[in-house]
Amino acid sequence: MERHAASDANPANVNLLRQPDAPIESLAELEQTVRHIVLETPVYDIHTHLYSADFEERLLWGIDQLLVYHYLTAEYFRQGELSYDEFWAMDDAGRADRVWKALFVDRMPVSEAASGVITAISRLGLSPSVYGRDLDAYRAAWAEKTAVAQVNDVLVTAKVKTVVMTNDPFDAVERAVWLKGGCTDARFQAALRIDKLLLDWTSAATELQSLGYTVAADDPSALSQEATLAEVRRFLRDWCGRIGALYIMASLPGDVQYPTPGEALTMLLDGAVVPVCRELGLPLALMVGVRRQVNPALRLAGDMSMQADLGLLERLCLRYPELQLLVTVLARENQHELAVLARKFSNLTIFGCWWFLHTESMIREMTSFRTELLGTSYIPQHSDCRVLEQLVNKWDHSRSVISGVLYNKYARLHQDRWLVSENDIRRDIEHYFGGVFQQVLSRAKKGRG
Ligand code: HDL
Ligand code: ZN
């Protein structure tokens, strides 16, 4: 079959003469076609900490924010000279200077987070071959940008069609934005984050009371009263409606024992969260296996992973077969078990390589066995970005690994003469990059009580 020479219009050297439904005969062509489609298919990013420009200073962007990202501050303290107090006494620019020197100048930026900064700046047109290692040169280039223009530029460069935010109704600054109009950019969708409600009922109840919900904050037995649970349901309903939440979400430690009769988390899940998910037709997203603030001096970087007892998920799936659960767990040791558990319950959809697993080797390992166990019935990645420009590197790196894994699976089919076409590849990737998520949303809507 004639090949179309690589050109500017066709950098991936994809055979443009082949019909999209025609089987791809050559392995070399198959590899290039898979890579091209994976790199080009827009993605629906189902979990981030990004905000639309409506949220003003909550939208983090720019080279200094990339450098003070908490993954990099944790790495700075391993190799930088400053004490915690000296570092935190500085402003973001001062901290960024120190991180740049310690991790990018005095050493090669080989960690996932550090190399991600290089990918982001390079893919956004500030090539190190031009700008070198001079941080102020990058700052000067960024100074010419605006937040709105940078959002457009980054979403296009990263090929991200939709970003799901993490929206905390207990955050007064964020609440104020929602109360005066909220998000006006349809590319940014919302998810209701309820860690505080589930994990710190006493303080959450006090706040609910101040927001006009009658939850008897000073009465420890309040949660056993239906009237209190009804008010918590009203709170969840109000905020899911106000922000247009696609799902309700929480991160949990790994040692949650569910159900534990009389315990706040169990009563809130059974009496408020699951009923509202059913009533509104929303999935529940659980991120399990985090041990918060093992080193408070690291601030946002002070959290740790821990192995999780996945019995919580098993019992939720059994108890609520109509509830759509979106799940990611933080310990590498739980990943294979989670994929096997997903084979047992079709209402359990696993997603992403979360946090300390968002590294090239872990993405490759997890995507391989997840595909081997679950085919295309899972969501391979979310970015978890906190800084806008990270969408570029987190998706660039993930797409590259995912395309390699997928090519290997197609190549094995090819060996047995089950040939793959461009349309087949495109359909599978669109499934991975948003289709499975949409399917979970529509199943949740159907299961609406
Ligand atoms: O709880 C979460 O959603 C985690 O993603 C944390 O926000 C964590 O700090 C993080 O940013 N991970 O990437
Ligand atoms: Zn997150």
Side-chain angles (χ1 to χ4, degrees):
M1 177 167 300
E2 188 211 336
R3 295 189 48 62
H4 203 88
S7 65
D8 291 349
N10 179 24
N13 190 20
V14 173
N15 183 334
L16 301 178
L17 298 177
R18 182 186 58 245
Q19 290 306 310
D21 59 353
I24 300 171
E25 287 288 350
S26 106
L27 280 176
E29 208 157 320
L30 176 61
E31 185 165 24
Q32 277 153 351
T33 307
V34 172
R35 183 166 175 76
H36 174 68
I37 292 172
V38 173
L39 291 179
E40 293 305 313
T41 301
V43 71
Y44 199 119
D45 195 345
I46 77 159
H47 170 58
T48 78
H49 299 271
L50 299 178
Y51 291 91
S52 66
D54 305 281
F55 292 83
E56 295 171 350
E57 77 282 355
R58 273 284 191 278
L59 167 58
L60 302 178
W61 65 287
I63 184 72
D64 282 340
Q65 287 306 323
L66 286 173
L67 292 171
V68 299
Y69 178 45
H70 70 79
Y71 290 30
L72 287 174
T73 54
E75 293 170 32
Y76 169 78
F77 284 115
R78 296 189 54 74
Q79 295 179 306
E81 310 82 35
L82 297 187
S83 68
Y84 293 134
D85 291 346
E86 289 166 335
F87 184 83
W88 295 122
M90 303 181 113
D91 63 8
D92 280 347
R95 295 170 193 167
D97 285 333
R98 297 299 178 131
V99 169
W100 183 259
K101 181 173 183 317
L103 303 180
F104 293 78
V105 177
D106 295 352
R107 298 164 186 84
M108 278 295 110
V110 290
S111 75
E112 189 70 31
S115 70
V117 173
I118 304 301
T119 301
I121 61 179
S122 172
R123 290 283 319 284
L124 286 166
L126 304 175
S127 168
S129 55
V130 173
Y131 289 78
R133 298 181 185 179
D134 175 1
L135 177 55
D136 286 335
Y138 294 103
R139 282 172 168 152
W142 245 283
E144 291 157 27
K145 301 168 184 281
T146 64
V148 172
Q150 190 70 338
V151 167
N152 295 332
D153 193 5
V154 166
L155 290 178
V156 168
T157 304
K159 296 185 183 59
V160 173
K161 60 185 172 187
T162 307
V163 161
V164 183
M165 302 181 282
T166 297
N167 304 108
D168 181 354
F170 295 100
D171 173 343
V173 170
E174 181 174 349
R175 217 173 30 229
V177 177
W178 286 110
L179 292 171
K180 67 170 199 290
C183 179
T184 61
D185 186 338
R187 299 168 297 180
F188 290 77
Q189 295 293 312
L192 192 74
R193 183 68 176 253
I194 58 167
D195 293 26
K196 185 170 191 174
L197 179 75
L198 294 183
L199 299 173
D200 186 1
W201 166 250
T202 309
S203 138
T206 306
E207 201 147 351
L208 289 179
Q209 191 84 14
S210 71
L211 293 172
Y213 297 91
T214 316
V215 292
D218 47 2
D219 171 2
S221 70
L223 271 178
S224 53
Q225 297 153 30
E226 170 50 27
T228 302
L229 290 171
E231 281 293 84
V232 175
R233 292 195 295 270
R234 185 166 71 88
F235 165 74
L236 293 172
R237 201 178 295 124
D238 288 353
W239 276 94
C240 284
R242 180 168 290 121
I243 70 175
L246 295 180
Y247 56 79
I248 296 177
M249 77 184 306
S251 74
L252 300 173
D255 53 3
V256 166
Q257 293 304 312
Y258 170 89
T260 303
E263 190 234 18
L265 189 140
T266 294
M267 292 193 281
L268 285 161
L269 279 176
D270 290 343
V273 177
V274 173
V276 169
C277 284
R278 183 186 296 125
E279 178 191 323
L280 301 181
L282 299 180
L284 173 62
L286 295 178
M287 309 169 77
V288 189
V290 57
R291 202 147 55 86
R292 295 286 179 192
Q293 294 301 287
V294 295
N295 180 358
L298 284 176
R299 299 188 181 177
L300 205 50
D303 301 331
M304 175 71 188
S305 68
M306 65 185 284
Q307 290 202 37
D309 170 358
L310 301 191
L312 151 74
L313 304 171
E314 186 176 323
R315 287 185 287 277
L316 274 172
C317 287
L318 279 171
R319 200 170 199 166
Y320 302 111
E322 82 294 338
L323 175 69
Q324 292 299 317
L325 273 177
L326 287 162
V327 173
T328 197
V329 297
L330 191 48
R332 179 191 188 190
E333 296 80 355
N334 284 130
Q335 298 303 328
H336 190 270
E337 178 192 9
L338 177 66
V340 175
L341 188 64
R343 289 169 60 91
K344 306 305 146 200
F345 298 102
S346 61
N347 61 320
L348 169 56
T349 301
I350 63 182
F351 73 92
C353 302
W354 182 28
W355 205 337
F356 308 111
L357 300 163
H358 199 121
T359 63
E360 185 175 0
S361 59
M362 290 294 101
I363 296 168
R364 181 169 294 110
E365 175 180 285
M366 290 166 64
T367 306
S368 297
F369 65 67
R370 285 171 164 181
T371 305
E372 289 148 10
L373 287 168
L374 300 170
T376 56
S377 67
Y378 73 99
I379 301 166
Q381 193 57 296
H382 68 282
S383 71
D384 227 330
C385 290
R386 285 179 175 272
V387 182
L388 177 67
E389 290 89 345
Q390 291 170 341
L391 285 172
V392 175
N393 54 282
K394 285 177 182 259
W395 280 108
D396 219 45
H397 291 183
S398 297
R399 288 173 194 263
S400 172
V401 176
I402 291 166
S403 77
V405 170
L406 212 47
Y407 163 68
N408 287 332
K409 301 309 170 194
Y410 289 144
R412 212 166 68 166
L413 293 171
H414 183 282
Q415 232 171 320
D416 298 326
R417 303 303 296 155
W418 184 278
L419 298 188
V420 170
S421 74
E422 223 176 279
N423 283 349
D424 296 326
I425 300 166
R426 207 171 291 284
R427 178 204 53 210
D428 288 353
I429 296 304
E430 283 166 1
H431 216 48
Y432 276 133
F433 283 5
V436 171
F437 180 60
Q438 293 298 342
Q439 187 181 60
V440 170
L441 295 183
S442 63
R443 281 180 176 172
K445 284 277 178 269
K446 283 199 193 84
R448 198 172 189 159

